[in-house]
């Protein structure tokens, strides 16, 4: 069965969609879309470093994304610039550094379009193993951090008073995001990862009455977007990664005219930007 490239693409895409759902909910609740963009853009620098040192691409992307998260935390503590300004600097700087490094590595042929927009039809059995294995780790981490993340999203001071260590949970959340970026990069590409994070979660929010229901629905909507996007790509001969995002967008637009169940999810006092 795994000898068929389309079957491998479906398995890989479904694995990513299931993983993305819960993390995407926290991105929406915490208003951290720009943070997701920054992590995604840093992936190209990770790709360049992976080629330079001849290591696994996912490992390179994870390490760089984790370092970018650490840099953001350190710069925030200095309080010299707002968070959105810091994210803008890190986002564009890492993307530019990655492009410059790739340009200097003339001995390596790198498919930039594949990394920027994804190449899900080229996933291998090894990629599927990484995606499902990494996805299981991410979901286990989200389950473990669910209560402190949810509490700190509503009120960080109250979560701290109750001994939930919101800052520690925030650092762990950033590491989970780094791992997600590493496993999702090959599916939809660096420039489209944030779309797959935000759109299914935003769609699910309209129909969910609890945070847990929203997380599950976000994953299911992501799966529907992946499957319909891939079949649409096959039918109309369009790029697979962008087709998945377009399918997710179509689901979101349909949701806007459907009856609302009840708005779900915690309402943070502070957004991801400052």
């Amino acid at each position: 069965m795994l000898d068929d490239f389309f079957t491998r693409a479906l398995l890989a895409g479904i694995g990513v969609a299931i993983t993305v759902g819960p993390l995407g909910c926290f991105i929406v609740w915490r208003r951290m879309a720009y943070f997701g963009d920054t992590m995604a853009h840093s992936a190209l620098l990770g790709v360049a470093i992976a080629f330079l040192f001849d290591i696994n691409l996912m490992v390179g992307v994870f390490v760089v994304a984790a370092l970018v998260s650490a840099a953001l935390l350190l710069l925030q503590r200095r309080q010299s610039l707002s968070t959105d300004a810091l994210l803008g600097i890190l986002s564009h700087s890492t993307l530019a550094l990655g492009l410059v490094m790739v340009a200097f590595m003339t001995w390596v042929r790198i498919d930039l379009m594949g990394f920027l927009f994804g190449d899900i039809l080229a996933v291998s059995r090894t990629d599927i193993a990484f995606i499902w294995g990494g996805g299981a780790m991410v979901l286990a981490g989200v389950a473990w951090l669910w209560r402190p993340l949810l509490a700190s999203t509503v009120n960080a001071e109250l979560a701290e008073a109750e001994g939930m260590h919101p800052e520690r949970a925030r650092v762990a959340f950033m590491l989970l995001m780094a791992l997600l970026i590493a496993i999702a990069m090959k599916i939809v590409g660096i420039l489209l990862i944030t779309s797959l994070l935000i759109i299914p979660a935003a769609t699910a929010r309209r129909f969910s009455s609890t945070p847990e229901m929203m997380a599950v629905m976000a994953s299911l909507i992501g799966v529907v977007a992946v499957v319909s996007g891939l079949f649409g790509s096959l039918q109309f001969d369009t790029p697979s990664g962008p087709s998945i995002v377009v399918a997710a967008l179509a689901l979101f637009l349909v949701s806007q005219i459907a009856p609302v169940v009840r708005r779900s999810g915690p309402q943070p006092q502070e957004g991801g930007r400052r």
Side-chain angles (χ1 to χ4, degrees):
M1 180 180 70
L2 293 181
D3 290 333
D4 179 39
F5 74 95
F6 193 75
T7 302
R8 291 197 302 270
L10 281 172
L11 288 174
I14 289 170
V16 170
I18 292 172
T19 307
V20 159
L23 282 179
C25 291
F26 281 106
I27 291 291
V28 169
W29 292 332
R30 289 172 169 247
R31 300 167 190 156
M32 292 175 66
Y34 204 8
F35 170 74
D37 259 340
T38 302
M39 297 284 282
H41 287 176
S42 72
L44 187 60
L45 179 58
V47 169
I49 289 175
F51 276 109
L52 183 62
F53 293 101
D54 195 24
I55 59 176
N56 183 275
L57 285 177
M58 290 186 182
V59 173
V61 171
F62 172 76
V63 169
V64 170
L67 289 175
V68 168
S69 298
L72 175 63
L73 289 174
L74 290 174
L75 290 170
Q76 281 179 328
R77 287 175 182 173
R78 297 185 64 179
Q79 298 182 342
S80 57
L81 287 172
S82 62
T83 298
D84 60 342
L86 291 173
L87 287 172
I89 292 169
L90 290 171
S91 173
H92 302 300
S93 298
T94 52
L95 183 62
L97 279 171
L99 288 169
V100 170
M101 285 184 66
V102 167
F104 273 112
M105 291 189 289
T106 55
W107 64 92
V108 178
R109 295 189 64 182
I110 299 177
D111 179 14
L112 278 178
M113 292 299 290
F115 286 118
L116 292 175
F117 297 102
D119 192 7
I120 190 173
L121 298 179
V123 294
S124 64
R125 298 185 185 190
T126 304
D127 292 328
I128 293 174
F130 269 112
I131 289 165
W132 282 88
M137 291 173 60
V138 171
L139 291 176
V142 171
W144 179 54
L145 294 168
W146 185 263
R147 286 191 67 247
L149 278 175
L150 207 58
S152 62
T153 299
V154 176
N155 191 310
E157 290 78 12
L158 183 60
E160 182 70 39
E162 293 182 359
M164 292 187 179
H165 307 291
E167 190 62 26
R168 193 181 303 171
R170 184 185 177 199
V171 172
F173 176 76
M174 288 182 170
L175 291 176
L176 291 177
M177 277 290 298
L179 181 56
L180 174 66
I181 297 298
I183 65 176
M185 176 189 64
K186 196 166 186 177
I187 306 303
V188 290
I190 292 166
L191 299 181
L192 301 178
I193 289 175
T194 314
S195 302
L196 203 56
L197 269 168
I198 297 171
I199 298 175
T203 306
R205 189 173 194 179
R206 192 171 172 84
F207 304 107
S208 307
S209 56
T210 66
E212 292 78 12
M213 182 185 294
M214 179 172 162
V216 172
M217 285 196 67
S219 292
L220 293 176
I221 290 168
V223 169
V224 173
V226 166
V227 174
S228 54
L230 281 175
F231 276 101
S233 173
L234 188 67
Q235 177 70 29
F236 300 107
D237 193 26
T238 54
S240 52
S243 296
I244 291 172
V245 177
V246 169
L249 173 63
L251 292 172
F252 173 76
L253 293 176
V254 169
S255 75
Q256 297 306 296
I257 60 175
V260 180
V261 172
R262 183 157 67 93
R263 192 175 184 183
S264 75
Q267 302 301 313
Q269 291 185 336
E270 237 178 277
R273 300 185 190 182
R274 292 181 187 174

